[in-house]
Amino acid sequence: MSHATLFPGRAQRRRWDDDLTALLEAATQRVARGPVTPDFDRQDFQAELAAFDFARPVPWADLLGWTVARLEHGVVHMTHPRYLGLFNPAPSFPAQSADRIAAAFNPQLASATTSPAAVAIEAHVIRAVARRAGLPPDAAGHFTSGGSEANHTALVCALTRAEPGFATSGSRAFAGPPVFYISGDSHLAWIKIAHLAGIGRAAARLVATDGHGRMDPEALAAMLAADRGEGRVPFMVVATAGTTNAGMIDPLGACHDIARAAGLWWHVDAAWGGAAIASERLRGLLAGIERADSITIDAHKWLAATMGCGMFLTAHPALLAEAFNVRTSYMPSHAPSADPYLTSVQWSRRFLGLRLFLALAAAGWAGYAAHVERAVALAGMLAGLMRALGWSVLNDPALAVVCLAPPPGSPPVGRIVARLLATGGAWVSAAVFEGREVVRACVTHGETSAADIAEVATLLEQARVG
Ligand SMILES: *Cc1c(COP(=O)(O)O)cnc(C)c1O
C-alpha cells in the first residue's frame, strides 16, 4: 500500500492529478480575493505538524487538502495582485507548465550525453538572453539556482582569471588579500559569497553611494587606489543594475571604465533589472551592460519564472571550463565543454531553463516588454498618487521600485507598514534608502491593475493617519 502511494498506477495517478489541479485552481482564486498576509495560528500549526510522525501513512486525499489549505493560509501571497514586494513574482503560466513537464521527465541536466535535448534548450535560451543583453556572439553561461549562485560564479571566474595559482592554492596564491568592490546598496549576498569562497568577508569592499543609491565612481577609484597602496589585490568591480532596495542603477559606463583601467573583471548584477533588456523603451537604462565580463539576471524575479531560477552570462565561457572542470571515470561525458557539471557550480541539476524557454517562445520578447513596461507604468502611477497625498518619492522608480517617505510628522515607517499589513489588503516593506526610512513598494505581478494601485495608495494613507 505505502509503496503504491509512492508509485501509483496510471488510473489512480490520473485521478489524483485531476484532484490536485481542481484544488489548486480553487485555492488560487480564493487567494486573489483574500488577504495578502498569512491568517493562521503558528502554534496550532506547529501542533498539527508535530502530529505527522511518519509512522502511520496519511490518506493521500487528506494530505493534499491539508497541504493546499495550509499554504493558502500560511504564506505571504506573492500571487496576490496587491503584493508589492521583494522581487518575488507571480509566476507566469508557461513557467508553471515547465515545472510540471520537468517533474514528469525529471531529466538530469548535469550532462548533455544523458539529456541532450534539455541541455540544448537551456544553452539556446542562455545564448538568446546574452545576445539580447548585447554580449559578444560567443558569450555563454548557464541557469543557476538564483542570483546568489550566479554572483558566486562571477566571483570564482574573476578570481580564476586574476591569479593563475588560485585554482590550486586558493587565496594564498595572491600577493596580498584579494578584494572586490560593491556599492553599499548592493545585494549583501556578496558578503556570504566572499565567506564561501574563502577570501573572507572583509574582501567585499563597500563603496559609498552618491546620495541617490548608486555607486559613487570617484569613491570607487579612490578606494581602489588606497587598497593597492596598502597591499590588497583588487580583482573585480560589481555594478548593480537595479538595487534590491530601490531599483537604482549604478553608473555602468563609469564603473566599467574604472574596472577596465585597473585591469579588473567587471560584473553587472542585474538580478532584478536585467529584465528591462526585453523592452526597446527601457533597455537604454542598462546601456553599458553589453561590455560586462559577466552578468547576473534572475529569471525568478522580473521574468516571472517560478522560484529557484537565475542566469549567469559571460563573455569568457572558456573561464567557466577552467574554474569548474574535473575529471571523473563515472560520468558519461563525450563533450566536456557542453556538459553543465563541468562548467558550473551545481552537479545534478534540475531542468530550470524550460521555464524561460516556454515563456519566451510563447510570448516573445514583446510579451516580456509589455510585462516590464506595464510594471514601470504602475509604479509611476503609485509614485504620483502618493505625491498628491503629500508623500515624497526618494528614488527614481524607473525599474518599478518606489521608495516613499511619508510627510513630516507622520508615524515611523515601521508602524505605517505594520498597520497596512494588519489589514491584509496589500503587502509592502519597510526599508532604508540613503539613511532615510521608506516604504518600499515594487510592482512584481503581471496582473496588478490600476485599481489595485489606487487601493494600495488609499490603504497606505489610511495606515499613516491611523
Ligand atoms: C535578488 C538579488 C540577488 C540574489 O538573488 P537570489 O536569486 O535571491 O539568490 C542578488 N542581487 C540582486 C541585485 C538581487 O536583487
Side-chain angles (χ1 to χ4, degrees):
M1 171 60 208
S2 318
H3 183 262
T5 313
L6 289 183
F7 305 101
R10 286 288 135 197
Q12 181 69 275
R13 196 180 273 254
R14 173 72 196 267
R15 273 197 302 280
W16 282 347
D17 258 348
D18 290 349
D19 292 348
L20 178 57
T21 302
L23 264 178
L24 286 176
E25 165 66 17
T28 50
Q29 279 195 30
R30 284 192 300 272
V31 163
R33 292 192 303 265
V36 188
T37 42
D39 59 347
F40 86 144
D41 183 294
R42 279 168 204 249
Q43 263 172 1
D44 289 353
F45 184 71
Q46 281 307 328
E48 284 183 27
L49 201 53
F52 287 94
D53 61 2
F54 308 135
R56 252 173 323 113
V58 179
W60 183 247
D62 297 354
L63 209 44
L64 269 192
W66 182 85
T67 306
V68 172
R70 291 306 172 270
L71 278 166
E72 183 180 337
H73 296 287
V75 299
V76 171
H77 287 300
M78 275 117 225
T79 62
H80 194 292
R82 287 189 301 282
Y83 171 80
L84 299 192
L86 301 175
F87 293 166
N88 302 307
S92 74
F93 181 71
Q96 290 180 315
S97 304
D99 267 354
R100 284 183 62 180
I101 297 170
F105 289 94
N106 203 29
Q108 167 58 284
L109 273 275
S111 149
T113 308
T114 50
S115 305
V119 169
I121 286 172
E122 285 203 341
H124 180 72
V125 176
I126 288 289
R127 276 195 302 271
V129 176
R131 268 202 303 276
R132 184 89 188 175
L135 291 181
D138 59 342
H142 50 266
F143 282 89
T144 63
S145 57
S148 298
E149 186 196 327
N151 284 347
H152 191 174
T153 302
L155 184 114
V156 172
C157 285
L159 285 166
T160 302
R161 191 189 63 166
E163 170 50 60
F166 174 74
T168 303
S169 307
S171 54
R172 286 191 305 281
F174 284 86
V179 290
F180 66 102
Y181 301 84
I182 53 183
S183 94
D185 240 16
S186 66
H187 193 286
L188 294 184
W190 286 112
I191 307 280
K192 285 177 24 178
I193 291 166
H195 187 151
L196 278 169
I199 56 175
R201 291 172 174 236
R205 307 285 286 151
L206 297 185
V207 179
T209 50
D210 63 357
H212 304 282
R214 298 168 301 208
M215 185 184 277
D216 176 354
E218 282 178 23
L220 169 64
M223 203 172 195
L224 237 167
D227 279 351
R228 282 200 160 140
E230 291 164 22
R232 298 188 183 92
V233 183
F235 66 91
M236 175 171 76
V237 173
V238 177
T240 306
T243 57
T244 314
N245 228 1
M248 297 303 291
I249 303 170
D250 288 344
L252 299 184
C255 291
H256 164 269
D257 293 349
I258 293 169
R260 277 291 166 275
L264 309 186
W265 187 273
W266 186 54
H267 179 72
V268 178
D269 180 1
W272 165 257
I277 61 174
S279 159
E280 292 305 332
R281 200 140 61 67
L282 297 174
R283 63 186 301 167
L285 293 169
L286 304 181
I289 197 173
E290 69 282 354
R291 288 182 284 173
D293 293 302
S294 56
I295 302 174
T296 290
I297 301 178
D298 259 345
H300 71 205
K301 285 186 174 165
W302 215 355
L303 295 171
T306 44
M307 272 299 157
C309 192
M311 286 180 282
F312 176 75
L313 312 169
T314 180
H316 314 287
L319 258 176
L320 285 173
E322 205 180 308
F324 298 107
N325 187 40
V326 278
R327 279 181 211 286
T328 66
S329 54
Y330 53 84
M331 288 296 284
S333 275
H334 301 310
S337 64
D339 274 347
Y341 82 99
L342 295 173
T343 54
S344 66
V345 172
Q346 296 178 39
W347 198 286
S348 290
R349 61 166 61 233
R350 185 176 168 85
F351 191 9
L352 301 176
L354 186 61
R355 304 168 189 180
L356 197 51
F357 174 77
L358 288 182
L360 273 171
W365 286 110
Y368 272 123
H371 172 64
V372 294
E373 286 169 12
R374 186 175 186 286
V376 171
L378 288 171
M381 178 185 165
L382 181 64
L385 289 172
M386 298 317 290
R387 273 199 201 97
L389 290 164
W391 293 55
S392 348
V393 177
L394 298 192
N395 71 328
D396 172 7
L399 291 180
V401 185
V402 193
C403 291
L404 298 158
S410 300
V413 161
R415 192 171 323 147
I416 297 176
V417 169
R419 281 182 192 155
L420 173 73
L421 298 192
T423 71
W427 201 95
V428 298
S429 52
V432 175
F433 179 68
E434 292 291 3
R436 287 179 68 185
E437 289 198 340
V438 291
V439 173
R440 178 193 178 283
C442 175
V443 181
T444 53
H445 196 306
E447 291 161 302
T448 300
S449 66
D452 287 317
I453 294 296
E455 187 166 345
V456 172
T458 304
L459 288 169
L460 262 176
E461 179 62 4
Q462 280 170 0
R464 183 184 76 81
V465 299

mmCIF file of all heavy atoms in Angstrom, residues 82-85 382 417 420-421 426-430 439-442 456 460:
data_model
loop_
_atom_site.group_PDB
_atom_site.id
_atom_site.type_symbol
_atom_site.label_atom_id
_atom_site.label_comp_id
_atom_site.label_asym_id
_atom_site.label_seq_id
_atom_site.Cartn_x
_atom_site.Cartn_y
_atom_site.Cartn_z
ATOM 1 N N ARG A 82 -1.978 42.581 -5.083
ATOM 2 C CA ARG A 82 -1.518 43.718 -4.270
ATOM 3 C C ARG A 82 -0.340 43.317 -3.385
ATOM 4 O O ARG A 82 -0.065 43.950 -2.364
ATOM 5 C CB ARG A 82 -2.680 44.311 -3.450
ATOM 6 C CG ARG A 82 -3.665 45.101 -4.341
ATOM 7 C CD ARG A 82 -4.693 45.886 -3.562
ATOM 8 N NE ARG A 82 -5.499 45.050 -2.701
ATOM 9 C CZ ARG A 82 -6.523 44.273 -3.103
ATOM 10 N NH1 ARG A 82 -6.866 44.270 -4.375
ATOM 11 N NH2 ARG A 82 -7.179 43.536 -2.250
ATOM 12 N N TYR A 83 0.390 42.283 -3.791
ATOM 13 C CA TYR A 83 1.701 42.004 -3.195
ATOM 14 C C TYR A 83 2.693 42.897 -3.938
ATOM 15 O O TYR A 83 3.051 42.648 -5.092
ATOM 16 C CB TYR A 83 2.084 40.527 -3.363
ATOM 17 C CG TYR A 83 3.516 40.247 -2.946
ATOM 18 C CD1 TYR A 83 3.853 40.101 -1.606
ATOM 19 C CD2 TYR A 83 4.531 40.162 -3.892
ATOM 20 C CE1 TYR A 83 5.173 39.882 -1.229
ATOM 21 C CE2 TYR A 83 5.845 39.940 -3.518
ATOM 22 C CZ TYR A 83 6.157 39.807 -2.177
ATOM 23 O OH TYR A 83 7.455 39.592 -1.798
ATOM 24 N N LEU A 84 3.105 44.008 -3.315
ATOM 25 C CA LEU A 84 4.071 44.918 -3.953
ATOM 26 C C LEU A 84 5.397 44.734 -3.231
ATOM 27 O O LEU A 84 5.870 45.602 -2.502
ATOM 28 C CB LEU A 84 3.593 46.370 -3.874
ATOM 29 C CG LEU A 84 2.262 46.696 -4.559
ATOM 30 C CD1 LEU A 84 2.078 48.198 -4.658
ATOM 31 C CD2 LEU A 84 2.161 46.105 -5.955
ATOM 32 N N GLY A 85 5.968 43.559 -3.432
ATOM 33 C CA GLY A 85 7.011 43.138 -2.521
ATOM 34 C C GLY A 85 8.402 43.025 -3.073
ATOM 35 O O GLY A 85 8.853 43.804 -3.907
ATOM 36 N N LEU A 382 1.746 54.835 -8.824
ATOM 37 C CA LEU A 382 1.772 54.834 -7.360
ATOM 38 C C LEU A 382 2.553 56.046 -6.841
ATOM 39 O O LEU A 382 2.121 56.732 -5.914
ATOM 40 C CB LEU A 382 2.392 53.534 -6.827
ATOM 41 C CG LEU A 382 2.457 53.416 -5.310
ATOM 42 C CD1 LEU A 382 1.052 53.393 -4.694
ATOM 43 C CD2 LEU A 382 3.238 52.168 -4.879
ATOM 44 N N VAL A 417 3.803 50.556 8.012
ATOM 45 C CA VAL A 417 3.812 49.276 7.281
ATOM 46 C C VAL A 417 3.094 48.200 8.089
ATOM 47 O O VAL A 417 2.289 47.437 7.547
ATOM 48 C CB VAL A 417 5.258 48.863 6.934
ATOM 49 C CG1 VAL A 417 5.304 47.428 6.424
ATOM 50 C CG2 VAL A 417 5.846 49.813 5.890
ATOM 51 N N LEU A 420 -0.582 48.639 7.779
ATOM 52 C CA LEU A 420 -1.062 48.225 6.446
ATOM 53 C C LEU A 420 -1.131 46.699 6.368
ATOM 54 O O LEU A 420 -2.150 46.145 5.942
ATOM 55 C CB LEU A 420 -0.137 48.766 5.357
ATOM 56 C CG LEU A 420 -0.465 48.241 3.958
ATOM 57 C CD1 LEU A 420 -1.742 48.876 3.437
ATOM 58 C CD2 LEU A 420 0.668 48.476 2.990
ATOM 59 N N LEU A 421 -0.071 46.031 6.825
ATOM 60 C CA LEU A 421 -0.055 44.565 6.735
ATOM 61 C C LEU A 421 -1.175 43.960 7.576
ATOM 62 O O LEU A 421 -1.753 42.934 7.212
ATOM 63 C CB LEU A 421 1.302 43.999 7.168
ATOM 64 C CG LEU A 421 2.529 44.413 6.355
ATOM 65 C CD1 LEU A 421 3.733 43.550 6.730
ATOM 66 C CD2 LEU A 421 2.287 44.325 4.856
ATOM 67 N N ALA A 426 -2.806 44.632 1.381
ATOM 68 C CA ALA A 426 -1.671 44.786 0.470
ATOM 69 C C ALA A 426 -0.405 44.415 1.226
ATOM 70 O O ALA A 426 -0.420 44.272 2.463
ATOM 71 C CB ALA A 426 -1.567 46.228 -0.050
ATOM 72 N N TRP A 427 0.679 44.221 0.479
ATOM 73 C CA TRP A 427 1.968 43.920 1.117
ATOM 74 C C TRP A 427 3.027 44.851 0.542
ATOM 75 O O TRP A 427 3.241 44.913 -0.663
ATOM 76 C CB TRP A 427 2.372 42.465 0.876
ATOM 77 C CG TRP A 427 3.380 41.948 1.872
ATOM 78 C CD1 TRP A 427 3.098 41.256 3.013
ATOM 79 C CD2 TRP A 427 4.815 42.085 1.840
ATOM 80 N NE1 TRP A 427 4.255 40.957 3.697
ATOM 81 C CE2 TRP A 427 5.328 41.453 3.010
ATOM 82 C CE3 TRP A 427 5.713 42.694 0.967
ATOM 83 C CZ2 TRP A 427 6.690 41.400 3.299
ATOM 84 C CZ3 TRP A 427 7.074 42.652 1.264
ATOM 85 C CH2 TRP A 427 7.549 41.999 2.415
ATOM 86 N N VAL A 428 3.665 45.620 1.431
ATOM 87 C CA VAL A 428 4.827 46.436 1.059
ATOM 88 C C VAL A 428 5.834 46.218 2.183
ATOM 89 O O VAL A 428 5.521 45.572 3.182
ATOM 90 C CB VAL A 428 4.478 47.941 0.953
ATOM 91 C CG1 VAL A 428 3.447 48.200 -0.136
ATOM 92 C CG2 VAL A 428 3.986 48.466 2.298
ATOM 93 N N SER A 429 7.044 46.760 2.038
ATOM 94 C CA SER A 429 8.011 46.559 3.106
ATOM 95 C C SER A 429 8.568 47.894 3.592
ATOM 96 O O SER A 429 8.427 48.921 2.922
ATOM 97 C CB SER A 429 9.147 45.648 2.625
ATOM 98 O OG SER A 429 9.687 46.137 1.426
ATOM 99 N N ALA A 430 9.197 47.838 4.759
ATOM 100 C CA ALA A 430 9.913 48.999 5.277
ATOM 101 C C ALA A 430 11.375 48.827 4.888
ATOM 102 O O ALA A 430 11.912 47.724 4.946
ATOM 103 C CB ALA A 430 9.776 49.077 6.787
ATOM 104 N N VAL A 439 8.910 53.498 2.837
ATOM 105 C CA VAL A 439 8.052 52.395 2.437
ATOM 106 C C VAL A 439 8.516 51.988 1.050
ATOM 107 O O VAL A 439 8.612 52.825 0.154
ATOM 108 C CB VAL A 439 6.571 52.829 2.391
ATOM 109 C CG1 VAL A 439 5.711 51.715 1.808
ATOM 110 C CG2 VAL A 439 6.077 53.215 3.776
ATOM 111 N N ARG A 440 8.834 50.692 0.905
ATOM 112 C CA ARG A 440 9.302 50.206 -0.392
ATOM 113 C C ARG A 440 8.192 49.392 -1.038
ATOM 114 O O ARG A 440 7.676 48.446 -0.444
ATOM 115 C CB ARG A 440 10.534 49.326 -0.206
ATOM 116 C CG ARG A 440 11.072 48.719 -1.490
ATOM 117 C CD ARG A 440 12.084 47.630 -1.160
ATOM 118 N NE ARG A 440 12.601 46.977 -2.363
ATOM 119 C CZ ARG A 440 11.951 46.070 -3.078
ATOM 120 N NH1 ARG A 440 10.734 45.712 -2.739
ATOM 121 N NH2 ARG A 440 12.504 45.519 -4.130
ATOM 122 N N ALA A 441 7.833 49.770 -2.257
ATOM 123 C CA ALA A 441 6.798 49.037 -2.997
ATOM 124 C C ALA A 441 7.335 48.722 -4.379
ATOM 125 O O ALA A 441 7.947 49.569 -5.020
ATOM 126 C CB ALA A 441 5.533 49.884 -3.108
ATOM 127 N N CYS A 442 7.137 47.495 -4.811
ATOM 128 C CA CYS A 442 7.644 47.102 -6.127
ATOM 129 C C CYS A 442 6.546 46.332 -6.864
ATOM 130 O O CYS A 442 5.942 45.410 -6.298
ATOM 131 C CB CYS A 442 8.881 46.224 -5.971
ATOM 132 S SG CYS A 442 9.478 45.574 -7.529
ATOM 133 N N VAL A 456 -3.928 50.457 -3.026
ATOM 134 C CA VAL A 456 -2.719 50.461 -2.191
ATOM 135 C C VAL A 456 -2.441 51.879 -1.690
ATOM 136 O O VAL A 456 -2.115 52.082 -0.514
ATOM 137 C CB VAL A 456 -1.500 49.899 -2.970
ATOM 138 C CG1 VAL A 456 -0.217 50.093 -2.167
ATOM 139 C CG2 VAL A 456 -1.701 48.422 -3.298
ATOM 140 N N LEU A 460 -2.302 52.856 2.190
ATOM 141 C CA LEU A 460 -1.085 53.413 2.775
ATOM 142 C C LEU A 460 -1.396 54.703 3.532
ATOM 143 O O LEU A 460 -0.908 54.903 4.649
ATOM 144 C CB LEU A 460 -0.063 53.708 1.665
ATOM 145 C CG LEU A 460 1.025 52.679 1.413
ATOM 146 C CD1 LEU A 460 1.872 53.110 0.218
ATOM 147 C CD2 LEU A 460 1.913 52.497 2.657
#
